[in-house]
Amino acid sequence: FDVFMNKFPDLEQKQCRFLRGRVGTWEQDIESAYLFQYKTPILHYVGQANLRYIPTVETPYRLPTTYRWQEDLFELCNIKLLTRDGMCKVMKDLGMSRIFMIGDSLGMNMGQSLFKLMGYEESTFEPGSKHQNFEKMVQCNPDNSENDFLVTSIRSDRIIENGEPVDEEKEFKNCHDYCHPWSERYKSYNGDTLFIVNTGPHFQLHRQFQAAFDEFVAKIDSYYRPRDVILWRTTVPGHPNCNETIDQKPFNSFEEYAATEVTDFYSWNKFVGYNDYVTKVFDKRKRENRELLGVSRARMELLDVYPMTVQRPDGHVSSGECADCPGAEGFAKDCLHYFLPGPPDWWTHLMYNHLLDLTLQDS
């Protein structure tokens, strides 16, 4: 774990987007907690705790939604909260007209978070539907559509494509999991794209992960879309003991997490190695881009949510905060997914701040 967790950028690259979220603590912020809530609950598996929550004067919000990430070493890199106006401005400043997201159910949760944090009241797809793909236009100005941008989310648990039929409703799996085709939709779009992607939780072997990742990178480079930005979200494990204490609270450090929660359950202990491999590939790309004149390919950078997320054993679907929710006692244990609002919202905030940093660099 030390190799990945202690890997910081070279001096000339010490910009906030490479540092933010790596060393810090989760601090309870009751006064600001209203900013961390959604206008309406998500009508989905991960929204059940909010749907059932009964606020009181003493506890107006679910406890896991009251924490803010605080940078310890790099205070100038503290996270600014995403808003719809902020996203509209940063997308315009970067000249981008689409956010394209692929990954598994955790990636879909990030897409749900994005829309809720932008103030949308409706759900991204029909309640009760097992289909997890969606495409929606974000309206930035009610008077004109000039700065509107498209958000496309496609489920591909292993980010591979094989032409076999796939259907969640009928439980047709085409890659041992659900891998919907995505590349044609991605490369045929005319505008510049922010591409947010992850895979990992569905791989049990390093070589399987590395092969899928290498194939993805080669595929993106073959499309020649040099103005696109690819953000690879790091793979996060669950917390195997999430259901043992009802009043779970965030860990104060990565060391506190590692002392009790590292497990080979679902190969979660391998995810740090997956993330380290991605980091090495991206570092090599940076060197090649500097050394090879005329190289023109999409920017690929890490959206590193791993350190901040492993410090959040609370808020999981099986955390016990909702006695009659799916994931509670008597249901299948789920210590990987989080209820929303919750910790994955900070992945979305982190992404927004990464884009803000890019606008500063480009200007």
Side-chain angles (χ1 to χ4, degrees):
F1 290 92
D2 289 344
V3 174
F4 175 70
M5 292 299 299
N6 295 323
K7 183 177 290 185
F8 289 97
D10 297 332
L11 285 174
E12 69 271 13
Q13 296 178 354
K14 282 192 174 177
Q15 301 164 16
C16 277
R17 71 181 189 276
F18 300 120
L19 304 170
R20 189 181 290 112
R22 293 186 62 83
V23 183
T25 51
W26 290 99
E27 297 185 359
Q28 193 167 37
D29 187 354
I30 297 295
E31 291 186 1
S32 301
Y34 73 97
L35 297 170
F36 311 155
Q37 312 304 313
Y38 300 161
K39 286 186 176 180
T40 57
I42 290 178
L43 303 179
H44 181 262
Y45 173 73
V46 296
Q48 294 301 311
N50 243 35
L51 281 167
R52 290 169 165 78
Y53 186 72
I54 301 175
T56 66
V57 174
E58 293 78 16
T59 55
Y61 313 112
R62 291 174 40 246
L63 185 61
T65 71
T66 62
Y67 293 97
R68 172 195 291 274
W69 176 260
Q70 176 65 39
E71 295 288 334
D72 286 350
L73 290 183
F74 312 106
E75 292 187 8
L76 292 178
C77 298
N78 267 322
I79 292 177
K80 299 176 182 177
L81 299 183
L82 177 151
T83 64
R84 191 190 312 193
D85 287 345
M87 275 302 299
C88 287
K89 184 177 188 306
V90 78
M91 290 292 285
K92 177 184 177 182
D93 290 346
L94 291 172
M96 293 184 172
S97 57
R98 179 179 65 163
I99 297 177
F100 193 80
M101 310 176 78
I102 66 169
D104 64 359
S105 53
L106 289 175
M108 175 203 66
N109 295 156
M110 187 175 175
Q112 292 173 304
S113 166
L114 173 62
F115 270 90
K116 286 299 184 179
L117 292 177
M118 288 193 294
Y120 281 91
E121 298 188 18
E122 68 271 19
S123 296
T124 50
F125 42 78
E126 291 298 318
S129 172
K130 292 185 178 180
H131 291 298
Q132 299 181 1
N133 299 341
F134 67 85
E135 186 166 79
K136 290 181 178 291
M137 187 67 72
V138 174
Q139 185 183 57
C140 291
N141 186 333
D143 297 326
N144 65 71
S145 60
E146 180 181 357
N147 297 323
D148 293 356
F149 61 91
L150 186 67
V151 178
T152 301
S153 177
I154 297 175
R155 179 170 182 177
S156 182
D157 294 334
R158 297 174 181 250
I159 63 171
I160 62 175
E161 299 177 285
N162 57 21
E164 298 295 323
V166 54
D167 191 307
E168 288 93 337
E169 293 283 357
K170 298 178 181 178
E171 298 186 355
F172 287 169
K173 296 183 178 182
N174 62 342
C175 60
H176 300 293
D177 296 295
Y178 298 104
C179 293
H180 288 269
W182 57 268
S183 60
E184 187 61 37
R185 203 162 176 182
Y186 166 65
K187 68 181 181 180
S188 63
Y189 184 75
N190 289 328
D192 295 346
T193 294
L194 168 66
F195 195 148
I196 303 170
V197 56
N198 168 267
T199 192
H202 294 262
F203 290 106
Q204 277 70 55
L205 298 174
H206 283 274
R207 59 178 174 79
Q208 294 174 330
F209 171 82
Q210 291 172 10
F213 175 76
D214 291 343
E215 180 182 343
F216 171 80
V217 171
K219 186 178 288 188
I220 295 299
D221 285 343
S222 72
Y223 298 149
Y224 188 70
R225 295 179 59 94
R227 293 174 58 85
D228 289 354
V229 173
I230 317 296
L231 293 185
W232 183 279
R233 177 178 58 78
T234 47
T235 303
V236 295
H239 297 82
N241 305 311
C242 82
N243 63 329
E244 293 185 2
T245 305
I246 292 178
D247 296 326
Q248 288 269 19
K249 294 182 180 179
F251 292 128
N252 290 319
S253 66
F254 176 81
E255 289 72 24
E256 189 178 349
Y257 154 77
T260 61
E261 297 287 330
V262 176
T263 176
D264 60 1
F265 190 59
Y266 292 126
S267 297
W268 286 347
N269 59 323
K270 296 180 180 177
F271 293 178
V272 70
Y274 299 173
N275 297 334
D276 190 50
Y277 180 76
V278 175
T279 302
K280 290 175 180 176
V281 172
F282 284 178
D283 286 346
K284 180 181 177 183
R285 285 176 67 89
K286 289 177 186 176
R287 291 194 299 269
E288 291 173 349
N289 289 344
R290 288 196 298 265
E291 295 168 0
L292 301 176
L293 296 178
V295 171
S296 185
R297 53 190 181 183
R299 183 200 301 260
M300 292 189 182
E301 294 186 350
L302 207 65
L303 183 67
D304 192 6
V305 305
Y306 179 93
M308 61 161 52
T309 308
V310 296
Q311 291 179 219
R312 294 300 302 268
D314 60 311
H316 283 290
V317 169
S318 288
S319 62
E321 64 166 308
C322 177
D324 56 348
C325 286
E329 187 174 354
F331 294 86
K333 180 179 174 181
D334 186 351
C335 285
L336 177 64
H337 297 89
Y338 289 96
F339 284 126
L340 292 176
D345 290 323
W346 292 85
W347 305 352
T348 314
H349 293 311
L350 194 69
M351 176 271 295
Y352 170 61
N353 284 258
H354 196 107
L355 300 182
L356 287 174
D357 292 347
L358 287 179
T359 64
L360 294 175
Q361 174 179 294
D362 293 346
S363 63

